[in-house]
Amino acid sequence: METIGFIGLGIMGAPMAGHLLDAGYKVIASDHRSKPPADLGAKGLKSVSGHAAVAKAADIIILMVPDTPQVADVLFGDNGVASGLTKGKLVIDMSSISPIETKVFAKKINDLGCDYLDAPVSGGEVGAKAASLTIMVGGEDKAFERARPVFEKMGKNITLVGPNGVGQTTKVANQIVVALTIEAVAEALVFASKAGADPAKVRQALMGGLAASRILEVHGERMVKRTFAPGFRIELHQKDLNLALEGAKALGVSLPNTSTTQQLFNSCAANGGAKEDHSALVRALERMANFEVGGNAAEVKGKAA
């Protein structure tokens, strides 16, 4: 088994690294900003000082950090991954970042004699913990086949979709679908709840019909139960929709509903919700309706009558 370097042990990165440790991989992390989680240390995670040291010690280096600038810094900043690479190593970026910058990063890593895969994921904290992530990969076939056993410890639906950058493009498309579906579920539950229906029962009924979706199942429940602790933060989804809108502008493509949904996320962020789960988008619609899902529906129904 190849040695894995893992940089970015956050909400999703930590359980992903945990699955690799459980599978018997030797995993090395950086204590660049903070000590790795104690539970991973108990599983055998080793830490070294700095990103270059991770690259020197590992055969495959995985990144799972928030945004494009962080990936650039981890790879090419002072004491970055690139300075510790030797020929034949594989760098896998599982963050969600700019497809355009991804192509630039890949070429720089390739010029060092190493392979590069962009492999963003979907499934959130739930998928990371369950090792059921969808993994969308951009890169060469040979590098993908080398990485496949590693991916299989973290996800279920694993697809090589094209060359470098196409993995990130696919993730942007995914985030459009997720955002717009969250918005649709939020609209439906606000409407039904203010009309006097029990939103929990409405959600249950919709789960048996054509409207059923993973978003309705997981995020609809969050909206009803008011559980907005972050599985995927609003500020990160804002970042992803910015990538979509910037790409659309460059391509001459109109994304009208993506633009509207981004405005709702912006409203949530402006009201202190940037670090809440993206299901908290419902709060923006609730403010406009002056009504909270699961509120006093009977009183509202009486007033309407």
Side-chain angles (χ1 to χ4, degrees), residues 19 122-123 126-135 153-157 214:
H19 294 311
S122 179
V126 173
K129 289 182 175 179
S132 61
L133 293 168
T134 289
I135 305 176
K153 300 300 181 293
M154 299 181 287
K156 298 295 184 186
N157 181 22
R214 185 68 172 156

Side-chain angles (χ1 to χ4, degrees), residues 11 27 56 70 122 152-153 163 204-205 233 285:
I11 288 175
V27 182
K56 289 176 182 178
Q70 286 78 32
S122 179
E152 288 175 345
K153 300 300 181 293
Q204 181 181 354
R233 300 191 303 274
L285 296 170

Side-chain angles (χ1 to χ4, degrees), residues 11-304:
I11 288 175
M12 294 183 65
M16 291 164 68
H19 294 311
L20 296 176
L21 288 163
D22 291 340
Y25 283 98
K26 181 179 180 181
V27 182
I28 298 171
S30 170
D31 57 9
H32 176 69
R33 292 189 179 278
S34 60
K35 295 292 182 182
D39 62 326
L40 296 183
K43 291 184 176 185
L45 180 78
K46 305 298 182 184
S47 63
V48 294
S49 180
H51 303 322
V54 173
K56 289 176 182 178
D59 304 303
I60 298 174
I61 301 93
I62 296 174
L63 281 65
M64 189 62 178
V65 297
D67 201 352
T68 308
Q70 286 78 32
V71 173
D73 183 60
V74 168
L75 289 177
F76 307 112
D78 293 339
N79 201 29
V81 165
S83 63
L85 291 175
T86 51
K87 288 185 178 181
K89 297 196 175 188
L90 170 60
V91 176
I92 305 173
D93 178 28
M94 302 188 78
S95 319
S96 296
I97 69 166
S98 164
I100 295 171
E101 291 302 307
T102 289
K103 294 177 184 179
V104 175
F105 299 160
K107 186 177 186 308
K108 287 183 178 181
I109 297 299
N110 292 159
D111 288 345
L112 297 173
C114 299
D115 290 319
Y116 189 97
L117 294 174
D118 49 294
V121 302
S122 179
E125 182 182 13
V126 173
K129 289 182 175 179
S132 61
L133 293 168
T134 289
I135 305 176
M136 302 153 258
V137 188
E140 298 296 326
D141 288 352
K142 184 178 178 180
F144 175 71
E145 292 303 326
R146 179 181 177 183
R148 186 193 292 272
V150 177
F151 290 147
E152 288 175 345
K153 300 300 181 293
M154 299 181 287
K156 298 295 184 186
N157 181 22
I158 303 160
T159 308
L160 178 63
V161 289
N164 285 131
V166 177
Q168 295 294 353
T169 296
T170 305
K171 177 58 187 292
V172 171
N174 177 86
Q175 295 302 81
I176 292 172
V177 174
V178 170
L180 269 60
T181 308
I182 289 174
E183 197 279 337
V185 169
E187 279 197 19
L189 292 181
V190 169
F191 167 77
S193 185
K194 191 163 186 178
D198 181 336
K201 291 182 179 179
V202 170
R203 172 183 164 276
Q204 181 181 354
L206 295 179
M207 282 300 298
L210 192 59
S213 70
R214 185 68 172 156
I215 298 294
L216 178 61
E217 178 187 358
V218 175
H219 294 77
E221 183 178 47
R222 284 176 173 266
M223 294 173 196
V224 172
K225 293 185 175 180
R226 319 306 293 172
T227 52
F228 297 129
F232 188 77
R233 300 191 303 274
I234 280 175
E235 61 187 357
L236 293 179
H237 214 142
Q238 286 179 290
K239 175 260 297 183
D240 291 340
L241 294 192
N242 279 338
L243 292 174
L245 295 169
E246 289 167 2
K249 182 177 180 180
L251 293 168
V253 173
S254 296
L255 301 178
N257 292 325
T258 301
S259 299
T260 299
T261 303
Q262 181 73 311
Q263 292 302 319
L264 295 173
F265 277 138
N266 292 345
S267 172
C268 291
N271 282 274
K275 297 189 182 301
E276 290 187 313
D277 186 77
H278 52 173
S279 59
L281 176 145
V282 70
R283 293 192 191 275
L285 296 170
E286 289 172 339
R287 281 189 290 271
M288 289 190 282
N290 193 30
F291 187 83
E292 184 178 290
V293 168
N296 192 341
E299 180 181 340
V300 171
K301 187 176 182 181
K303 289 180 180 178

